[in-house]
Amino acid sequence: MHDAYEAAPLLEKLPLTIESIACYDDVLLVGTKQGHLLVYKIRAIPGANEAKFEVSLERSNKSFSKKPITQLAAIPECHILISLADNVISIHDLEVFNIMACMQKTRGATLFATDLQRETSLTGDVKHTLRMCVAVKRKLQLFYWKNREFLDLQTELGVPDVPKAMAWCKDSLCVGFKRDYFLIKVDTGSLKELFPTGKQLEPIVTKLTDDKLALGRDEMSVFINSEGSPTHKYGLNWSDVPIVMEHHSPYIIALLPKYIEIRTIQPRTLIQSIELTSKPRLICQGSGHIYVASSNFVWRLVSISMTAQIRQLLQGKEFELALVLANMTEEPDSEKTLGIQRIQNLYAFELFSQHRFEESLKIFLDLKTDPANVIGLYPNLLPAEFRNKLEYPDRPPDLIGGELEKGILALIEYLTQKRNDLIKDMGKEEKMISSAIVEGCTTIKSKRQLSQIIDTTLLKCYIQTNDALVAPLLRLKDNNCHIEESERVLKKHQKYSELVILYERKGLHKKALDLLLKLSQKSPGSQWAGTERTVEYLQRLGAEHLDTIFEYAGWVLKFSPDDGLTIFTEDLHEVESLPRRRVLEYLEKTDRQLAIPYLEHIVTVCNDETPEFHNKLVNLYRERVQKQMADYIQSLPEGQLPAMAGREPGDLGELRSKLISFLETSTKYEPPKLLTHFPFDGLYEERALLLGKLGRHEQALHIYVHVLQDTQKAEEYCKRHYNKHTEENRNVYLCLLKMYLSPPDPNTLRVMPSHLEDLEPNTTQALRILEEHANQIDTVKVLHLLPDPTKVSEILVFLENVLEDQASRKRGSQLLKSLLYQEHLMIQEQRMFYQKIKCVISDERMCRVCKKRIGNSAFARYPNGVIVHYYCCKDTKVCPDE
């Protein structure tokens, strides 16, 4: 509770009985039971410490009425005084109080209510509209003020009982009867029953300043709007049943049987109780003044200054009401805003102290309070040296256990929203605005520093509540956690996975890799053992960190060559972007054996067509094959021949098979450069493949036929290289035939097998080649190549095949000739058809497009006979319309 008003006595022991009061400006009007109207001038005594007033009786109108003046209403905007005496409404001039009209129509009236509406036009002119409702027995008469008189607003409205209290609310009238309250729509006359008046049969209807009504029900006041709907979840409870009420924002003043009680609607708080020397029963307000009267006494309720009230409220920690009053002060806007912000900060701190974390942090968020000040309310979230610089209105609460977790969850939501807002404003150049809980306390002005504190605090909060969210936070691109502080916290809680992510996001790759190496050695059998984590990390680094990759890939390659190789072969964008030439050089220096699988990967999987890599792979294959071949030959028993190429036992056969397959399929290596490295006395099949790539078919076929003595591979070679459209490959079968019929001198072919001396012709194989490939060999050249003793019967099948092939070609040519001739005839027929059509251009022939004569101009004719000028023919496929 605090003092909001002070009761200043104005009239004491008045010899007349007061029946009604009204006021405007500094004038108090008193209506008496004897029918006198007393007009008092109220002036404040300047310099007085207490609320004291000079009261002067300006006028005493004894002939105002012969009967008691039961109700008064001063309307200074219309310069009239409305009175109810002797059950009739009278209108008086507000200056001299002469009667202007006595409304005989209202004879029998017991109550009236006025409604003054103010409208401001676009030009700034203020227009007042006055309406009045008069209760006459069980009827309501409605009037409006115009041209210095009251006119009928509409026809009378019937009501179920005699009204005891009523008030306007927009276009509705709330009427209180002996037992019930009703809401009446003025325009339609419809009645809506609200609720009973309770045990106390006298209704109370009080108009509030915000187009709401307060209705009395025993010791409670219920608040409704113009539709009759409740505006507050709970009513306002009084210490006793109110006699009458008046709303003086933000307070509602009720006259109780023994004293005056002052409360606020929101929050629902008892503010003050004022005891008077006599029981009050009347209250009125006007021009900001409030008067209370008993039968013979009158007081003015003088408002205590807003500043003093706010000071009292802050001392009592009644911040909600202090905020209401702060919004009503008449200070300059800048000072007013600062004052409100200060109170809100104190209120939010008090809510936090009451462990109402969500409400508190919402206010801090709306106020844009410095997040560092908010975080400092929690233990162990800010560095001690920084937290010691912060000031608070009181000692922050000690949070432990469930309350601490509840508070941290609310803080996480607050920081997340604050972080999102900060990200939106990060690109803007305007100065960051923030306030402290205690005025003058340190605040953060740098957006980057603020972002760092928010992210680091979120990290600590997640560790305490839900550590699964730590890694997603650290992976954010705009993560701005403080490195040293985050490192300390993560190490303390042994969050090594998250620590690696922190190092990676901050570009501290060597720290991350050192930690992974240390953990792999220190924790055998754990999730950190082995090379998997290091390999994954190195794969993500990319070409800009190639030196770091080379530095830390060494121990992985030594520990597990296969896993280490995936650093350079994994299907990731970062891995594929690595410079392959440098990677190959590194692998050759580290472990030459790994160069082959790396080259196989980039050639076969990545489809790299660089000749250098293809050449390198062939040479590496060759070197390993030669080395293992020498050991293999020495291991053979005397007299045993080596296995066929690619079928050797162990790795040699597999490796040589890869070499042969690669030489057959790849088209990007350079045979001239490779051929010089292959020996003359070994690796014959590989040499034959290279010779074939160079188009040196005789040497290649010599190796297959006479060195390897493999006729099947010789034919496969011919099949692979034969192409009738190219000069160098057209006669490959003829070369094979020469190898069989006229073996060359081995010395001329640069092959040095030990078993080749005198080579004999192989007529049988030659004749078989002729029979099977007759259409792929030049017949004339074959006949010149065959030995003279060859019998026709031996080449009969060959000749038959040749003749059959020639006959087939002849028939195909004749068929094609006939088809072409038929097409020619069809075209000629079409030509004749179109040429026989005549087109006569007369002097009257007009162009369909421009409507001018064709004359001697060039013209165009559409298939349907339409004629247009040539230059009018825009689209040959679309005929112009009529």
Side-chain angles (χ1 to χ4, degrees):
M1 293 176 63
H2 75 280
D3 293 336
Y5 296 94
E6 181 181 352
L10 299 179
L11 302 175
E12 296 180 338
K13 297 181 180 180
L14 197 68
L16 303 173
T17 304
I18 300 173
E19 283 291 319
S20 60
I21 58 174
C23 63
Y24 69 95
D25 296 337
D26 56 354
V27 177
L28 173 64
L29 305 174
V30 177
T32 67
K33 187 176 182 179
Q34 292 77 11
H36 298 182
L37 176 68
L38 306 178
V39 182
Y40 293 94
K41 197 80 168 180
I42 313 296
R43 297 183 181 88
I45 299 176
N49 294 330
E50 299 179 358
K52 293 186 177 181
F53 298 90
E54 179 185 341
V55 181
S56 59
L57 180 61
E58 297 290 316
R59 183 185 295 270
S60 176
N61 193 338
K62 296 181 180 180
S63 60
F64 190 82
S65 173
K66 295 179 180 180
K67 295 292 180 73
I69 306 170
T70 56
Q71 189 175 352
L72 289 172
I75 315 295
E77 292 82 0
C78 300
H79 307 288
I80 60 172
L81 172 66
I82 305 172
S83 67
L84 173 60
D86 196 17
N87 298 110
V88 67
I89 300 294
S90 300
I91 314 300
H92 306 265
D93 183 271
L94 198 57
E95 296 293 332
V96 295
F97 301 100
N98 293 333
I99 188 166
M100 297 171 59
C102 181
M103 301 177 67
Q104 294 299 327
K105 185 178 179 180
T106 63
R107 179 68 62 182
T110 56
L111 182 69
F112 73 88
T114 60
D115 176 54
L116 184 68
Q117 296 178 342
R118 294 172 176 83
E119 295 181 5
T120 304
S121 65
L122 295 176
T123 59
D125 297 332
V126 178
K127 178 184 177 183
H128 296 94
T129 303
L130 176 63
R131 296 182 295 179
M132 180 173 65
C133 177
V134 181
V136 181
K137 297 182 181 180
R138 294 192 178 189
K139 293 181 180 180
L140 297 180
Q141 297 177 356
L142 302 172
F143 305 95
Y144 70 98
W145 180 257
K146 185 177 181 181
N147 297 329
R148 304 295 292 170
E149 65 176 332
F150 275 108
L151 305 177
D152 290 340
L153 181 64
Q154 63 182 64
T155 56
E156 296 179 344
L157 299 177
V159 290
D161 200 351
V162 177
K164 297 287 187 179
M166 64 181 177
W168 289 84
C169 186
K170 292 186 177 180
D171 291 328
S172 300
L173 274 169
C174 183
V175 182
F177 301 105
K178 190 174 182 179
R179 291 182 175 82
D180 301 283
Y181 290 102
F182 279 80
L183 191 76
I184 303 172
K185 286 291 184 181
V186 174
D187 51 353
T188 62
S190 61
L191 276 75
K192 177 181 180 181
E193 185 175 356
L194 299 178
F195 50 84
T197 57
K199 298 176 183 178
Q200 185 72 17
L201 299 181
E202 287 298 323
I204 299 176
V205 180
T206 303
K207 186 175 182 181
L208 308 183
T209 55
D210 49 357
D211 288 326
K212 296 176 185 175
L213 296 172
L215 310 183
R217 183 176 184 181
D218 296 332
E219 294 89 0
M220 179 188 292
S221 292
V222 179
F223 303 99
I224 65 169
N225 58 19
S226 60
E227 301 298 323
S229 302
T231 58
H232 294 73
K233 187 175 182 180
Y234 302 101
L236 188 64
N237 293 314
W238 301 94
S239 303
D240 204 341
V241 179
I243 299 170
V244 66
M245 295 187 301
E246 190 68 46
H247 186 224
H248 187 224
S249 183
Y251 304 113
I252 186 163
I253 305 167
L255 305 188
L256 305 185
K258 295 182 179 180
Y259 51 83
I260 300 173
E261 192 166 278
I262 302 165
R263 291 180 179 266
T264 53
I265 301 173
Q266 191 65 34
R268 295 179 300 122
T269 307
L270 172 62
I271 301 301
Q272 186 180 5
S273 295
I274 302 175
E275 292 187 4
L276 302 175
T277 55
S278 179
K279 294 181 181 179
R281 63 188 189 87
L282 300 172
I283 186 171
C284 72
Q285 73 164 316
S287 304
H289 304 313
I290 302 173
Y291 295 92
V292 175
S294 65
S295 297
N296 306 98
F297 292 79
V298 177
W299 299 266
R300 180 192 277 191
L301 295 186
V302 182
S303 296
I304 306 297
S305 71
M306 289 291 187
T307 305
Q309 289 190 61
I310 291 171
R311 192 182 306 113
Q312 291 181 58
L313 290 169
L314 293 181
Q315 289 175 354
K317 295 185 178 181
E318 297 180 39
F319 300 104
E320 290 181 77
L321 185 54
L323 283 172
V324 174
L325 296 182
N327 278 290
M328 296 173 62
T329 58
E330 297 180 357
E331 298 176 344
D333 288 345
S334 58
E335 295 181 14
K336 185 176 181 178
T337 302
L338 287 175
I340 292 172
Q341 194 173 59
R342 173 174 164 269
I343 296 171
Q344 286 178 316
N345 272 314
L346 294 174
Y347 179 43
F349 179 83
E350 179 62 22
L351 290 174
F352 188 90
S353 299
Q354 297 173 9
H355 296 182
R356 294 162 64 182
F357 303 112
E358 292 183 2
E359 297 174 61
S360 171
L361 295 182
K362 185 180 186 304
I363 295 175
F364 282 135
L365 183 65
D366 294 338
L367 290 176
K368 297 184 178 179
T369 304
D370 180 14
N373 280 244
V374 178
I375 296 167
L377 295 170
Y378 294 82
N380 304 321
L381 290 183
L382 285 178
E385 62 275 8
F386 187 87
R387 191 172 189 266
N388 292 335
K389 297 178 182 178
L390 302 176
E391 297 179 16
Y392 297 101
D394 201 351
R395 185 171 179 269
D398 295 325
L399 302 177
I400 57 173
E403 289 298 321
L404 176 60
E405 183 176 356
K406 180 182 174 184
I408 287 180
L409 290 173
L411 180 62
I412 289 173
E413 185 176 350
Y414 163 80
L415 291 175
T416 302
Q417 182 61 48
K418 199 70 183 174
R419 187 180 192 279
N420 294 336
D421 295 341
L422 186 62
I423 290 172
K424 293 177 184 176
D425 297 337
M426 194 63 80
K428 300 178 182 178
E429 296 182 358
E430 68 252 17
K431 185 179 178 182
M432 189 180 70
I433 300 174
S434 62
S435 63
I437 296 177
V438 173
E439 191 173 351
C441 184
T442 305
T443 57
I444 296 172
K445 301 299 182 184
S446 165
K447 290 183 180 180
R448 178 169 180 79
Q449 185 184 6
L450 179 59
S451 173
Q452 200 172 61
I453 287 180
I454 289 175
D455 285 357
T456 308
T457 305
L458 274 174
L459 173 72
K460 295 177 181 179
C461 292
Y462 287 151
I463 286 178
Q464 294 186 49
T465 56
N466 187 358
D467 56 5
L469 296 175
V470 175
L473 171 67
L474 294 172
R475 287 194 183 98
L476 293 174
K477 289 183 179 180
D478 50 10
N479 158 48
N480 199 20
C481 287
H482 187 271
I483 298 174
E484 290 77 11
E485 184 69 13
S486 302
E487 183 180 33
R488 181 188 65 79
V489 173
L490 292 171
K491 283 182 177 179
K492 178 182 177 181
H493 292 85
Q494 296 184 352
K495 300 293 181 182
Y496 297 119
S497 294
E498 290 79 0
L499 184 55
V500 170
I501 297 172
L502 173 68
Y503 287 147
E504 182 179 5
R505 288 299 179 188
K506 298 300 180 182
L508 303 174
H509 302 300
K510 291 193 175 183
K511 269 195 167 187
L513 291 165
D514 287 336
L515 175 63
L516 290 171
L517 175 58
K518 180 181 177 181
L519 291 171
S520 69
Q521 296 170 345
K522 186 179 178 181
S523 311
S526 71
Q527 60 172 332
W528 301 101
T531 61
E532 182 181 355
R533 293 297 186 95
T534 302
V535 168
E536 291 176 355
Y537 193 98
L538 292 173
Q539 288 171 346
R540 296 193 297 268
L541 287 182
E544 61 270 22
H545 302 288
L546 189 62
D547 293 335
T548 304
I549 294 174
F550 288 162
E551 181 180 350
Y552 288 91
W555 78 267
V556 180
L557 291 168
K558 189 178 295 183
F559 185 85
S560 177
D562 292 339
D563 292 341
L565 187 62
T566 60
I567 297 171
F568 308 103
T569 60
E570 191 64 29
D571 186 18
L572 294 172
H573 172 72
E574 293 84 357
V575 174
E576 292 180 358
S577 66
L578 296 177
R580 291 167 181 168
R581 187 173 285 102
R582 287 191 62 187
V583 172
L584 180 59
E585 292 172 359
Y586 170 75
L587 290 174
E588 286 188 294
K589 291 178 184 178
T590 306
D591 187 350
R592 192 172 177 83
Q593 300 299 322
L594 295 174
I596 289 179
Y598 176 70
L599 286 169
E600 289 175 343
H601 172 79
I602 64 174
V603 167
T604 58
V605 178
C606 300
N607 299 318
D608 194 313
E609 297 182 350
T610 307
E612 178 185 354
F613 296 143
H614 287 249
N615 293 345
K616 189 69 177 178
L617 181 56
V618 171
N619 280 325
L620 289 173
Y621 279 146
R622 176 187 55 77
E623 289 175 6
R624 288 187 61 183
V625 167
Q626 281 184 293
K627 182 178 179 181
Q628 295 186 28
M629 180 65 77
D631 297 338
Y632 170 65
I633 296 297
Q634 289 181 1
S635 66
L636 289 175
E638 187 176 353
Q640 182 177 341
L641 295 175
M644 295 180 64
R647 297 185 182 178
E648 297 87 352
D651 292 340
L652 174 60
E654 182 181 353
L655 195 61
R656 195 170 182 191
S657 178
K658 285 184 179 181
L659 173 58
I660 292 171
S661 175
F662 186 73
L663 290 173
E664 288 177 347
T665 56
S666 175
T667 59
K668 302 303 176 184
Y669 61 81
E670 299 169 304
K673 293 182 179 179
L674 295 174
L675 190 60
T676 57
H677 298 288
F678 278 78
F680 293 103
D681 58 350
L683 303 182
Y684 296 116
E685 189 155 342
E686 291 84 343
R687 187 175 186 81
L689 290 170
L690 290 171
L691 290 169
K693 293 286 185 178
L694 291 170
R696 292 154 65 174
H697 302 305
E698 288 189 11
Q699 293 181 3
L701 289 170
H702 172 68
I703 292 173
Y704 283 120
V705 174
H706 300 297
V707 177
L708 299 177
Q709 297 180 358
D710 191 334
T711 58
Q712 182 180 351
K713 287 190 176 181
E715 290 185 43
E716 289 176 358
Y717 175 89
C718 292
K719 183 179 180 181
R720 204 163 49 243
H721 288 85
Y722 174 76
N723 187 348
K724 65 180 179 179
H725 301 294
T726 60
E727 185 66 31
E728 58 180 7
N729 293 333
R730 185 183 300 161
N731 296 319
V732 64
Y733 280 102
L734 190 64
C735 292
L736 179 58
L737 193 62
K738 287 181 181 178
M739 287 299 118
Y740 287 134
L741 296 177
S742 304
D745 183 358
N747 295 324
T748 63
L749 300 175
R750 304 186 66 182
V751 180
M752 298 183 298
S754 56
H755 62 280
L756 291 181
E757 293 179 358
D758 297 328
L759 300 176
E760 297 293 333
N762 190 342
T763 307
T764 305
Q765 287 296 334
L767 293 176
R768 187 181 63 79
I769 291 296
L770 287 175
E771 292 175 3
E772 294 179 1
H773 303 282
N775 59 343
Q776 295 168 318
I777 304 176
D778 191 325
T779 307
V780 177
K781 292 182 179 179
V782 168
L783 294 177
H784 285 297
L785 191 60
L786 288 172
D788 293 337
T790 304
K791 298 178 181 179
V792 174
S793 60
E794 293 175 345
I795 61 172
L796 180 60
V797 176
F798 165 69
L799 294 174
E800 288 176 349
N801 290 341
V802 169
L803 292 174
E804 184 179 344
D805 179 63
Q806 292 297 325
S808 175
R809 290 184 182 181
K810 180 180 178 182
R811 287 193 297 272
S813 298
Q814 289 175 339
L815 178 60
L816 179 61
K817 177 184 176 183
S818 299
L819 291 173
L820 291 173
Y821 182 70
Q822 183 65 28
E823 184 181 14
H824 170 73
L825 292 177
M826 290 172 64
I827 291 172
Q828 291 299 320
E829 184 181 0
Q830 288 181 341
R831 179 183 62 82
M832 293 170 65
F833 172 77
Y834 288 118
Q835 283 182 342
K836 73 179 181 180
I837 298 175
K838 293 190 298 182
C839 181
V840 178
I841 306 297
S842 62
D843 292 340
E844 290 78 19
R845 198 66 178 261
M846 309 294 286
C847 173
R848 175 71 64 85
V849 177
C850 67
K851 309 302 180 184
K852 295 179 181 179
R853 288 188 301 171
I854 300 295
N856 295 325
S857 302
F859 63 89
R861 179 185 181 277
Y862 286 93
N864 59 356
V866 174
I867 305 295
V868 297
H869 287 112
Y870 181 74
Y871 52 80
C872 293
C873 181
K874 304 300 182 183
D875 189 344
T876 59
K877 296 181 179 179
V878 179
C879 181
D881 297 329
E882 287 287 350

